[in-house]
Amino acid sequence: MYKNLRWKFLLILAVTGLSTWLFVPPSQKVKLGLDLKGGVHFVLGVQTDDALRLETQTAADQLAAALKDAGVTVATRVTGLTAFVAENVPSANDQQFRTIADQWLSQSFDRDQSGPGAYAFRMKPNVIVQRRAEAVTQAIQTIDRRVNELGVSEPVVAPYGTNAEQIIVQLPGVTDVPRAKSIIGKTAVLELKLVEAGPAADQASLLQATNGQVPADMETVGGVGDQSGAPGYYLVRRAPVITGRDLRNSRPTLDEYNTPAVSFTLNSEGGAKFSRATSANVGRFLAIVIDDRVVSAPRIEGPISTEGRITGRFTQQEASDLALVLRSGALPASLTYLEEREVGPSLGADSIRAGVTASLIGLALVTLFMLVYYRLAGINAFVSVALNLVILLGFMAYAGAVMTLPGIAGFILTIGMGVDSNVLIFERIREELANRKTAKQAIAAGFDRVFITILDTHVSSLIAAAFLFQFGTGPIRGFATTLFFGLIANVFTAVFVSRTLFELVLSRRPAGSTQLSV
């Protein structure tokens, strides 16, 4: 009669054992979110003006360089956040200037003639909006890569609030807040530039050879002046040999003096540029500039192609952090900390304790009600709901999902839906028994007729959970994850496990029995 009963039990035991093995011990297998584990919460403001300022300066430099290559010398000067002027355009080259300007800048800048031989360029309004949005998106991607390399489980890095230039960052389990802030907020713009003069103790002595003037294609940069770490100034070429965009990878290492350093590998294009530059400038100094500060200026001993090393007065931690931020790319704009909040682990422990207590009390009350109202069949409901929670925890541990405070609410909601499924089944069985059917017929009819209803409600909730997971962040996503896995487990336990328990009871009774404690 129930020849498959043994296999059904073996399947239930296997699922139970596997789920238990997956989440035990819970302290090591189940990941906790910020609200349960503690950590840090930041709201960051992205200074998108930086991205516009850089775009404007780059456009001015590119136009000047393109004109110089064409044999036309024109001075460009940035006059505002999104504006610059080109002056001293020779009248004989006016048409050539217009043609080159249109080639380089027509998509992003509007051009007006502001006087004889002078043109004003202003960034187009739609480009300004686009560049601000791109800066926020790029900042989110860069921060996300950095916190992932920190080893933070399930960090939250997402746009925040109605202000499109704010980002929320939540790092569960992070306790070294100053280090986290340093890594997140470090701009990390790497540039390698040829040194024309320096180091000098001050800018006046640095510019003596040029009568106190900085040549048009050069700039002065401060930083580390010598091996002792004393400050100094360098006159370097404005155009870098390579930048951080040419990096393929970076890692902490040691230099020839066994002190911390950062080694890097270049991509093919960057390697070709670096090889040409170092081959043509053997014996000169090359300034390694990070965020407009020289960290070292080694002498070029010979051609270098795809690998290099950044030396400085780094600690091991600083070298590791610098390698990390270089790998993750530079931020397109600086960040300001608008809100900083630490969530203590004691608060998380209190939340866990309260959630577990609420779940156990709910499970106990529901079990008591089911035993009183459905008598022995209430045991089926208790086993189904308890096994549901075990399978849910196993799912969570296997998928690496994060348990949050709303996730605990999802646990309690899962208990409610599991009980609701059992109530539907038991009431249908009661109706069938009242129609004078045997216990076997009543159980078969009860499960078969309710199955579509249970499946329909659960599929609808699964779709809602999937949308919450896709578009939610942080605790909302934690709730969606718990609900999604709980619903899947609920269908298995309410329909398959509960029916198997009924079949076990009937297997010990004679065929045609009409008695069933439900």
Side-chain angles (χ1 to χ4, degrees), residues 17 53 59 78 118 135 158 208 220 263 288 318 373 377 391 421-422 443:
R53 191 176 294 106
V78 175
Q208 278 184 351
T220 59
S263 292
I288 300 173
E318 289 172 342
Y373 196 74
I391 295 174
S421 300
N422 281 278
I443 290 172

Side-chain angles (χ1 to χ4, degrees), residues 207-512:
L207 299 176
Q208 278 184 351
T210 57
N211 297 322
Q213 300 296 316
V214 180
D217 57 345
M218 300 182 193
E219 62 183 1
T220 59
V221 184
V224 177
D226 55 30
Q227 292 294 332
S228 66
Y233 291 88
Y234 296 82
L235 181 65
V236 299
R237 291 190 181 179
R238 185 187 297 275
V241 175
I242 58 170
T243 69
R245 294 181 179 180
D246 298 309
L247 290 187
R248 175 185 294 167
N249 196 8
S250 61
R251 64 184 186 281
T253 184
L254 299 174
D255 61 13
E256 61 270 25
Y257 303 107
N258 208 32
T259 58
V262 176
S263 292
F264 60 83
T265 307
L266 300 172
N267 56 33
S268 57
E269 183 180 356
K273 289 190 294 185
F274 202 38
S275 178
R276 286 196 298 271
T278 52
S279 299
N281 295 281
V282 173
R284 296 186 60 182
F285 290 96
L286 186 67
I288 300 173
V289 184
I290 298 177
D291 291 344
D292 296 325
R293 182 177 182 276
V294 176
V295 296
S296 64
R299 184 188 299 275
I300 300 173
E301 302 291 349
I304 307 171
S305 56
T306 59
E307 294 186 354
R309 187 169 59 199
I310 301 173
T311 58
R313 301 175 64 82
F314 302 125
T315 65
Q316 191 65 50
Q317 185 70 68
E318 289 172 342
S320 298
D321 291 348
L322 177 59
L324 186 155
V325 296
L326 290 177
R327 282 198 303 272
S328 60
L331 284 172
S334 60
L335 303 173
T336 56
Y337 286 84
L338 305 178
E339 180 183 340
E340 176 185 339
R341 181 158 44 90
E342 293 184 48
V343 179
S346 59
L347 179 59
D350 292 341
S351 301
I352 294 174
R353 193 178 304 109
V356 171
T357 302
S359 301
L360 291 177
I361 292 175
L363 182 60
L365 292 177
V366 165
T367 303
L368 181 61
F369 168 78
M370 297 296 283
L371 287 172
V372 171
Y373 196 74
Y374 293 108
R375 296 173 290 179
L376 292 180
I379 297 176
N380 284 25
F382 170 74
V383 173
S384 297
V385 171
L387 185 54
N388 189 352
L389 298 181
V390 172
I391 295 174
L392 174 53
L393 284 170
F395 266 131
M396 299 279 290
Y398 176 74
V402 177
M403 179 65 70
T404 61
L405 197 56
I408 294 178
F411 261 77
I412 299 174
L413 179 60
T414 298
I415 293 175
M417 294 192 70
V419 173
D420 185 52
S421 300
N422 281 278
V423 168
L424 285 174
I425 295 169
F426 294 169
E427 288 298 322
R428 176 59 69 178
I429 292 175
R430 277 185 168 183
E431 291 178 6
E432 298 298 333
L433 289 173
N435 290 332
R436 299 181 181 282
K437 290 187 178 180
T438 65
K440 177 187 174 186
Q441 291 172 331
I443 290 172
F447 278 97
D448 292 344
R449 293 179 181 177
V450 173
F451 176 73
I452 296 300
T453 303
I454 294 176
L455 190 63
D456 180 58
T457 57
H458 281 65
V459 168
S460 301
S461 299
L462 278 173
I463 294 173
F467 274 95
L468 282 175
F469 183 85
Q470 179 66 30
F471 298 108
T473 58
I476 300 299
R477 179 170 282 196
F479 173 78
T481 303
T482 308
L483 183 61
F484 188 87
F485 290 137
L487 290 169
I488 295 174
N490 197 32
V491 173
F492 174 74
T493 55
V495 177
F496 184 80
V497 175
S498 182
R499 185 166 186 166
T500 303
L501 294 176
F502 274 118
E503 291 177 352
L504 175 65
V505 173
L506 292 185
S507 67
R508 301 175 182 276
R509 296 182 182 181

